[in-house]
Amino acid sequence: MIEHIELFFKSIFIDNMVFAVFLGMCSYLAVSKKVATAVGLGAAVIFVLAITVPLNWLLDQYLLQPGALKWLGPEYADFDLSFLSFIMFIATIATMVQLVEIVVEKFSPSLYNSLGIFLPLIAVNCAILGGSLFMQAREIETLGLALNYGVSSGIGWFLAILAIAAIREKIRYSNVPAPLRGLGITFIITGLMGIGFLSFGGMLTGGDEEGEPSTEPEPTSQVEQIETEKSVELANNTKIIE
Amino acid sequence: MGLLSKKDGKLITDPLADNNPITIQVLGICSALAITAELKASLVMGIAVLFVLGVGNVVISLLRNIIPSKIRIIVQLIVVATLVIIVDQVLKAYAYELSKTLSVFIGLIITNCIIMGRFEAFALGNGPWRSFLDGIGNALGYAVILVIVGFFRELLGSGTLFGIPVLGDAIEKTGVYSIGYENNGFMLMPPMALIIVGLLIWVQRSRNKALIED
């Protein structure tokens, strides 16, 4: 249970799709002019992520991983199809999006009217493919955790687009320098929000870092910290490739 | 540009500045910004996109009369995914360290909006040669922004370019560090990439007033 809660908050705040890894930026910038449309797209992203991440988890587990074909018989145990993951994942996503669109249109026209126009956009949203690829890279262990990861990173994305849409609605009445209007200021605000979200980094460690005795600002400490973070990331990445 | 007619030449030069895919068309930001903390990674990413977009545009353009328009998105995705798998396998074979740094972001070229955008907007309606030029032009426009962002982030963040120290040694206090300069570790954080692109847009639009939004 505790790992579910941990993953949930980690994916929403610390590894936020938009602010930490820049996924789904295209639609994030294009569809965030009004809060209402942003909510529609955000809901659609949560919905599609919740379906595709567990599905791709199953594909990865029983088809793509090195040795995943063991269930077919011992002679298939050496097969490694992981180089096919990109094409399998994107095919799953494209078909699921199409399928969801058809089902929703048939059974719930009202939901279709609010979600419908965003669904085709979503097939090529980096957040969706990114969700599956990060699920694979982080070696999520169970189907339940994969579902949790899909839903919570969707919620993270939803919060991000909701926040920027609200800010953009207000900023229309501000006196922004002409060349910065529109796109430029949106980029900078997103950057500032990202800096804000960096502060969630201490959440899981319980803020240990601040408690350290060396409060004296060392010139290289910040860089070192980033480098260790990076090497941890690298270590995580090597796991997949090995 | 002797080889190219004036119209074809414009296909390459336009996306470099006045119709840049990142700062003007707002495409392909997704996978671009996370990897620009180092110049080398930015350059490789640029080259990868150059390959995928150049070849992909030609393939789609050759197939444009055969693809039924209803399933074109899936066909396009399959073409891109195949090309990206090639890039990924080549990187893993010849530049393993780098492919670890780029990790999932190579895979995310598939959903890079520049690629789908150019397929839809150009390759489906134009011949292979013009599509190829358009692909090259847009990929170069994308690479230019990546390299600029990567240059500033690596230079100001860790004082190196392509991993080679250019500002002197931070620990031994040589070069500019001897007069009290410090690396700005903040530049290595992801959000700074967004702010740098925002500033680039500011510079570009203040030089070319026609691009200003209202």
Side-chain angles (χ1 to χ4, degrees):
Chain A
M1 196 55 215
I2 188 80
E3 71 264 33
H4 273 279
I5 298 170
E6 197 179 314
L7 183 73
F8 186 75
F9 285 105
K10 193 163 174 278
S11 331
I12 293 183
F13 294 110
I14 302 172
D15 293 328
N16 188 287
M17 282 272 186
V18 172
F19 300 125
V21 281
F22 306 113
L23 294 181
M25 286 297 289
C26 301
S27 25
Y28 170 85
L29 292 169
V31 194
S32 59
K33 288 203 176 96
K34 282 203 192 100
V35 170
T37 45
V39 169
L41 185 68
V45 165
I46 299 180
F47 193 54
V48 175
L49 268 175
I51 295 172
T52 56
V53 172
L55 255 179
N56 281 335
W57 183 86
L58 287 173
L59 267 182
D60 184 46
Q61 210 70 12
Y62 295 107
L63 207 60
L64 297 170
Q65 269 184 7
L69 288 173
K70 247 186 307 197
W71 56 274
L72 272 178
E75 67 270 32
Y76 294 103
D78 295 337
F79 277 43
D80 177 4
L81 296 180
S82 50
F83 69 96
L84 285 178
S85 5
F86 295 157
I87 214 163
M88 294 294 283
F89 286 178
I90 197 71
T92 317
I93 290 167
T95 16
M96 282 320 293
V97 169
Q98 207 92 66
L99 208 66
V100 166
E101 199 182 346
I102 294 168
V103 172
V104 170
E105 189 180 8
K106 177 107 176 103
F107 291 106
S108 170
S110 62
L111 183 65
Y112 180 77
N113 285 337
S114 54
L115 280 189
I117 42 167
F118 298 113
L119 282 171
L121 256 181
I122 276 180
V124 288
N125 187 330
C126 330
I128 310 291
L129 181 65
S132 290
L133 288 174
F134 272 113
M135 173 272 299
Q136 192 190 29
R138 285 175 189 160
E139 298 187 324
I140 303 252
E141 275 161 17
T142 63
L143 186 61
L145 280 174
L147 176 66
N148 180 340
Y149 181 70
V151 173
S152 52
S153 34
I155 295 175
W157 201 88
F158 178 88
L159 284 181
I161 196 169
L162 189 62
I164 195 76
I167 292 175
R168 283 181 82 169
E169 277 195 354
K170 293 279 173 223
I171 212 161
R172 207 169 303 145
Y173 307 106
S174 318
N175 191 10
V176 179
L180 260 183
R181 258 173 229 158
L183 192 57
I185 195 72
T186 314
F187 265 99
I188 292 177
I189 291 172
T190 312
L192 295 176
M193 285 161 79
I195 294 171
F197 265 67
L198 281 180
S199 58
F200 287 116
M203 204 162 74
L204 282 186
T205 54
D208 293 346
E209 286 118 319
E210 278 108 7
E212 277 173 28
S214 62
T215 43
E216 174 197 342
E218 278 178 52
T220 49
S221 64
Q222 204 174 7
V223 181
E224 267 169 10
Q225 198 185 328
I226 296 159
E227 269 164 11
T228 37
E229 269 169 28
K230 250 194 198 166
S231 58
V232 170
E233 235 170 69
L234 278 184
N236 285 342
N237 290 337
T238 42
K239 253 191 251 158
I240 355 155
I241 295 156
E242 272 162 12
Chain B
M1 288 284 166
L3 271 172
L4 308 165
S5 68
K6 209 171 175 187
K7 215 168 121 201
D8 287 353
K10 260 186 103 58
L11 286 176
I12 289 199
T13 50
D14 256 10
L16 287 180
D18 288 346
N19 198 15
N20 189 286
I22 293 188
T23 58
I24 310 297
Q25 302 175 39
V26 209
L27 296 173
I29 300 138
C30 325
S31 55
L33 299 178
I35 45 93
T36 47
E38 292 163 33
L39 192 50
K40 202 171 155 196
S42 326
L43 197 64
V44 169
M45 192 69 180
I47 295 170
V49 170
L50 186 73
F51 169 77
V52 174
L53 192 51
V55 179
N57 248 359
V58 172
V59 173
I60 292 294
S61 162
L62 287 172
L63 292 175
R64 69 184 187 279
N65 296 325
I66 311 170
I67 305 174
S69 69
K70 277 202 165 164
I71 57 158
R72 64 177 195 283
I73 302 259
I74 293 185
V75 175
Q76 289 164 0
L77 284 175
I78 298 293
V79 171
V80 192
T82 319
L83 291 169
V84 170
I85 288 177
I86 297 173
V87 171
D88 185 48
Q89 296 291 317
V90 168
L91 273 184
K92 270 185 189 151
Y94 295 103
Y96 189 63
E97 286 297 313
L98 208 60
S99 89
K100 276 192 296 189
T101 321
L102 293 174
S103 70
V104 301
F105 292 99
I106 286 290
L108 288 173
I109 296 178
I110 299 173
T111 45
N112 193 320
C113 330
I114 290 185
I115 300 193
M116 296 301 284
R118 289 333 288 173
F119 283 1
E120 284 280 308
F122 202 90
L124 279 176
N126 287 282
W129 173 239
R130 282 173 58 81
S131 301
F132 178 70
L133 293 179
D134 179 76
I136 298 288
N138 276 286
L140 284 177
Y142 170 84
V144 164
I145 301 289
L146 280 201
V147 167
I148 295 174
V149 177
F151 174 83
F152 283 114
R153 281 183 77 189
E154 187 172 353
L155 183 69
L156 301 176
S158 33
T160 58
L161 288 176
F162 290 109
I164 303 160
V166 288
L167 295 179
D169 196 313
I171 299 153
E172 308 259 314
K173 300 273 175 223
T174 59
V176 288
Y177 296 103
S178 58
I179 53 169
Y181 174 82
E182 297 288 357
N183 279 332
N184 182 0
F186 213 58
M187 292 302 272
L188 297 175
M189 303 284 199
M192 286 312 287
L194 284 166
I195 293 182
I196 292 177
V197 174
L199 296 177
L200 277 179
I201 292 173
W202 190 358
V203 171
Q204 192 187 14
R205 293 192 180 178
S206 51
R207 291 178 60 91
N208 186 349
K209 303 280 183 209
L211 300 172
I212 293 175
E213 292 172 46
D214 39 43

